[in-house]
Amino acid sequence: MILIEISCPAGHFSEADRSRIVEHIWTIALSDDHAPAETMRRARQMAHLGFRELTDWHTGDGPVDSKVAPPVIASVSVPQAWQDETARHMIGVIKAAVRRVDNEHGWSRAPGSLWVLINGIVDGSIGMDGKSSTADEVLQAMVADYQEAVKEGRSEPVPDGMLVDPMCGMLVRPGPRAITLEHDGETIGFCAVACRDAYRAQHALV
């Protein structure tokens, strides 16, 4: 689940501009060679991005000048448990996407004209498919196809020297920065804290 709404003054970004921003964001945020196809298919289905064009946009200096880089407020909503990790990544991704369009137009962006807000939605306030849900339930929906593949013996073998996240199937390279957990004498790797915490809760680990 990643829900992105980009607000900008009406008429400032062309359809081509918006398409380039979308392409850049999804290419980075939803591309991972180390994730199984089942997980990425669900991740793409549960990711949404739209533009909101607002009229009569004013800053404290008055109406927005149509000849300069338009102000942008990007609101990214994820489960609160994912907020910190998402923020570190998505702020840079959205900034790069917008700046790419700025450069194509030769726009010089004024300080404070691009805001990326990462909103963490608390458990119970996530209305997945119209039902009050938790971060773990969102994760379970995202990895359901992968988990079914594992049960049916259709998962890919793990390459030598790699760990596999038991929740989503992402390959994890061991190292000092890897997110791991020791369980039953085995080192288990995780792609994110959210997967580790969901696994820990699922197996009643402290």
Side-chain angles (χ1 to χ4, degrees), residues 18-88:
R18 295 191 297 272
S19 293
R20 281 192 287 273
I21 290 172
V22 171
E23 180 183 12
H24 182 89
I25 291 172
W26 283 157
T27 296
I28 302 300
L30 295 176
S31 294
D32 200 307
D33 295 336
H34 298 300
E38 296 89 352
T39 296
M40 292 311 300
R41 181 169 59 248
R42 281 289 185 104
R44 288 191 294 270
Q45 291 172 350
M46 297 172 69
H48 300 270
L49 190 162
F51 286 83
R52 181 187 297 274
E53 292 198 314
L54 303 178
T55 60
D56 300 321
W57 190 305
H58 287 64
T59 70
D61 288 327
V64 171
D65 186 344
S66 62
K67 298 177 182 178
V68 302
V72 171
I73 302 174
S75 178
V76 181
S77 296
V78 296
Q80 189 177 58
W82 306 3
Q83 187 175 14
D84 288 346
E85 286 184 299
T86 300
R88 290 195 293 269

Side-chain angles (χ1 to χ4, degrees), residues 4 21 24-25 28-29 74 76 84-100 114-118:
I4 304 175
I21 290 172
H24 182 89
I25 291 172
I28 302 300
V76 181
D84 288 346
E85 286 184 299
T86 300
R88 290 195 293 269
H89 181 55
M90 286 304 302
I91 290 174
V93 170
I94 293 175
K95 173 186 174 181
V98 172
R99 288 292 177 87
R100 185 177 180 183
L114 170 61
W115 297 92
V116 182
L117 311 177
I118 310 298

Side-chain angles (χ1 to χ4, degrees), residues 175-187:
R177 299 183 64 182
I179 301 169
T180 61
L181 188 66
E182 299 296 325
H183 185 207
D184 290 338
E186 179 185 2
T187 299

